[in-house]
Amino acid sequence: MPGPDFLPRKETHIELDDTELIRRIASRDDGALEAFYDRYNRIVFTLVFRIVRIREDAEDILSDVFWQAWQQANRYDTSRGKPIAWLLTIARTRAIDYVRSGKKRGTESEFDSNAPAQPDATDPFVLAGLQRAVRLCLEKLSQTQRVALEMAYFEGMSQAEIAKALNEPLGTMKDRIRTGMMHLRKCLKPYEAPL
Amino acid sequence: MKHQQLTGELQERALLYAAGALEEAERTEYFRHLQEDDCAVCKAEVLESEVAAQSLAMMLPMQTPSESVKQRLLARAQAVRENERPRPGAQPKKSAFAWGGWAVAAAALVLVAVFLNFNAGLRQEVQSLNARVMELESQVTAQRTLLVSLTSTQTKVVVLGGLSSTPQARGKIFRDDAAGRWRVYVEGLPTAPVNRAYQLWAVPATGNPVSAVVFNTDASGSAMVDLATPQVAGGIKLAAVTEEPAGGSPQPTTTAFNLLGTME
């Protein structure tokens, strides 16, 4: 009787939820890795590229991120959050480590600023409603809060470094980051964690 | 030490950690606390805060990596999977004397097949690793060149300070006069409006400024530009950045400098 092996591999994985994909990746199912990659490569790449700014290096880090997921899937703990949150944490950590190691950063010209501002329909984990919710939440941040958060999250700058760069007192900067983050948390809470 | 209940201070630390804003020593200690102390209170706070921070990534212009990344990743995974596949030789053996000649021959064939398969997997992995090594060597060479350039005693640093409407902007020019190159780093300079750009000028003591390069900053206000040393008769006195029409101007259209620095 024809079983799943008779179907193209991706067809057997594409409908699986993230946690099941991680479970299968842990059992060395490279089809699950492929499905997981197809689902999240763009959001991970976008984050990494934004941080390191060099396409070639961002692609190397992207590969390393999914390779780490392949190797550590057996240690993934569902209490640690959704797989995409786990993946993005790995991605940011690797990208920031790269920047802090003193390697060069590229020009923004390598980052395609004409691309769509939000994930498209091929990224099924993000629904249109959630995209709007996130956008609304981010738009409610003050400009100064948003700049401080982006300097910390994308540039890997500490609160003291940001305060110095913006010529603001450290206490002000700490408060700005804290209130900005709290706003995002509260605003996104009703949407059951979009990521 | 595990915390029993959430306090304002603990929440603030989790928020700053998730945003990536803690100082390095604090970050290291807090990471240790999460891992070794296994503090459920702090872990829950970090988890919720990380999701909030990650939402920043959702609003970035979506980028697409090249297809080769996926191919390389899957080839690597398949090679490892092949190597890890249980080999028949590892199974519990029955007495060889109980097997007939055909069984021995079949086992030999299986072993040959496994060996060939294993060998193919190894070859694939070696190819993948060789390609990776070549890429890394290329990166290391480029980084060494940059490092040599930036740390050379020949390289002089010009500090650019923010002026006018962008007092928070700052920058540095690494001048390698021997190589005839400038590497310019800028931070805190908001992206120029549509149809506008920033232009770096090499300003002589007397005479008109000379355009060095036209550039723009990213959404975070940063830019890095590599350019040939501007040729200015009589030497360069100042380096200045102004906002100009996209594509640049023959001469500055404003005296409202965004950045200014004095050459040594």
Side-chain angles (χ1 to χ4, degrees):
Chain A
M1 180 180 165
D5 287 344
F6 288 79
L7 297 171
R9 177 175 284 158
K10 283 177 72 176
E11 292 299 317
T12 64
H13 294 95
I14 201 163
E15 299 299 330
L16 297 177
D17 68 26
D18 290 349
T19 307
E20 178 58 19
L21 283 180
I22 291 291
R23 194 189 66 73
R24 294 193 185 199
I25 289 171
S27 63
R28 292 298 195 231
D29 179 345
D30 52 358
L33 177 66
E34 183 176 6
F36 195 55
Y37 179 90
D38 286 345
R39 198 170 289 178
Y40 293 126
N41 74 86
R42 294 185 67 216
I43 183 72
V44 172
F45 181 65
T46 298
L47 172 62
V48 171
F49 194 9
R50 170 63 184 78
I51 294 171
V52 307
R53 300 184 194 167
I54 301 173
R55 171 170 282 277
E56 192 182 346
D57 293 356
E59 289 187 344
D60 282 344
I61 294 172
L62 172 70
S63 179
D64 289 344
V65 168
F66 279 91
W67 184 248
Q68 187 172 338
W70 166 261
Q71 290 185 304
Q72 297 184 352
N74 57 348
R75 285 190 264 157
Y76 168 72
D77 176 4
T78 51
S79 70
R80 184 65 190 81
K82 293 183 178 180
I84 177 58
W86 175 63
L87 196 66
L88 287 177
T89 300
I90 294 173
R92 181 182 176 276
T93 302
R94 279 188 170 270
I96 293 291
D97 283 349
Y98 166 95
V99 172
R100 288 190 179 134
S101 70
K103 292 173 181 170
K104 65 183 177 182
R105 296 182 87 170
T107 61
E108 191 65 16
S109 60
E110 290 188 49
F111 194 85
D112 181 7
S113 55
N114 293 319
Q118 297 92 35
D120 60 24
T122 59
D123 291 303
F125 72 100
V126 183
L127 302 174
L130 289 178
Q131 287 178 8
R132 277 197 299 275
V134 170
R135 187 165 61 246
L136 286 174
C137 290
L138 289 172
E139 283 173 356
K140 284 179 190 167
L141 285 174
S142 71
Q143 179 67 15
T144 53
Q145 285 174 329
R146 184 165 179 156
V147 165
L149 285 178
E150 289 185 346
M151 289 173 88
Y153 194 70
F154 294 132
E155 306 300 326
M157 295 172 74
S158 71
Q159 53 193 342
E161 289 171 327
I162 299 168
K164 190 176 174 189
L166 299 180
N167 198 25
E168 302 263 17
L170 176 59
T172 303
M173 197 51 57
K174 186 182 287 192
D175 188 58
R176 195 174 289 171
I177 295 170
R178 182 183 60 77
T179 52
M181 285 288 288
M182 271 313 289
H183 160 74
L184 284 178
R185 268 179 56 166
K186 284 180 182 170
C187 189
L188 293 170
K189 186 92 173 169
Y191 302 97
E192 287 291 322
L195 290 174
Chain B
M1 181 189 77
K2 287 187 183 182
H3 297 105
Q4 299 304 312
Q5 64 179 29
L6 184 65
T7 64
E9 187 185 350
L10 292 179
Q11 186 175 61
E12 179 178 277
R13 203 175 306 159
L15 289 165
L16 292 170
Y17 175 81
L22 286 181
E23 304 304 319
E24 187 165 353
E26 288 177 293
R27 187 171 57 241
T28 304
E29 170 54 25
Y30 194 66
F31 181 75
R32 187 210 61 74
H33 169 62
L34 294 173
Q35 298 297 313
E36 294 179 17
D37 297 345
D38 197 25
C39 177
V41 171
C42 290
K43 278 187 167 182
E45 278 301 297
V46 166
L47 189 58
E48 199 169 336
S49 302
E50 278 182 343
V51 171
Q54 287 167 354
S55 68
L56 292 168
M58 286 182 64
M59 300 314 294
L60 293 172
M62 196 54 67
Q63 308 288 317
T64 304
S66 59
E67 187 63 20
S68 64
V69 180
K70 178 178 172 181
Q71 290 163 0
R72 205 167 60 212
L73 174 74
L74 293 179
R76 201 174 170 192
Q78 282 163 5
V80 169
R81 194 189 61 166
E82 292 298 324
N83 289 343
E84 290 177 350
R85 184 173 286 174
R87 299 167 67 180
Q91 299 297 320
K93 289 181 181 174
K94 294 179 180 175
S95 166
F97 294 109
W99 295 3
W102 286 109
V104 173
L109 280 174
V110 167
L111 282 174
V112 168
V114 167
F115 174 76
L116 290 175
N117 198 20
F118 179 68
N119 205 24
L122 278 180
R123 246 194 331 267
Q124 200 171 15
E125 191 178 20
V126 166
Q127 283 173 356
S128 169
L129 288 173
N130 278 340
R132 178 89 177 124
V133 166
M134 286 175 68
E135 283 176 28
L136 290 173
E137 281 176 345
S138 166
Q139 286 174 23
V140 167
T141 303
Q143 285 155 15
R144 275 189 185 144
T145 305
L146 176 61
L147 188 64
V148 166
S149 167
L150 294 182
T151 58
S152 164
T153 52
Q154 304 292 322
T155 300
K156 293 173 181 166
V157 181
V158 178
V159 177
L160 302 174
L163 291 175
S164 184
S165 59
T166 54
Q168 78 284 3
R170 62 181 185 172
K172 280 183 181 170
I173 300 173
F174 292 86
R175 289 173 49 197
D176 186 346
D177 293 338
R181 304 297 301 175
W182 280 15
R183 187 174 288 268
V184 184
Y185 292 89
V186 172
E187 289 179 343
L189 187 60
T191 306
V194 176
N195 296 326
R196 305 285 289 173
Y198 292 109
Q199 194 161 4
L200 175 65
W201 303 96
V203 186
T206 56
N208 292 329
V210 173
S211 174
V213 70
V214 178
F215 67 97
N216 208 341
T217 53
D218 60 27
S220 71
S222 303
M224 190 281 287
V225 193
D226 191 31
L227 63 146
T229 301
Q231 298 303 307
V232 178
I236 303 169
K237 182 79 174 171
L238 300 169
V241 173
T242 57
E243 186 190 304
E244 301 292 341
S249 303
Q251 284 295 305
T253 58
T254 175
T255 54
F257 297 123
N258 298 96
L259 285 161
L260 188 69
T262 308
M263 311 298 281
E264 288 294 324

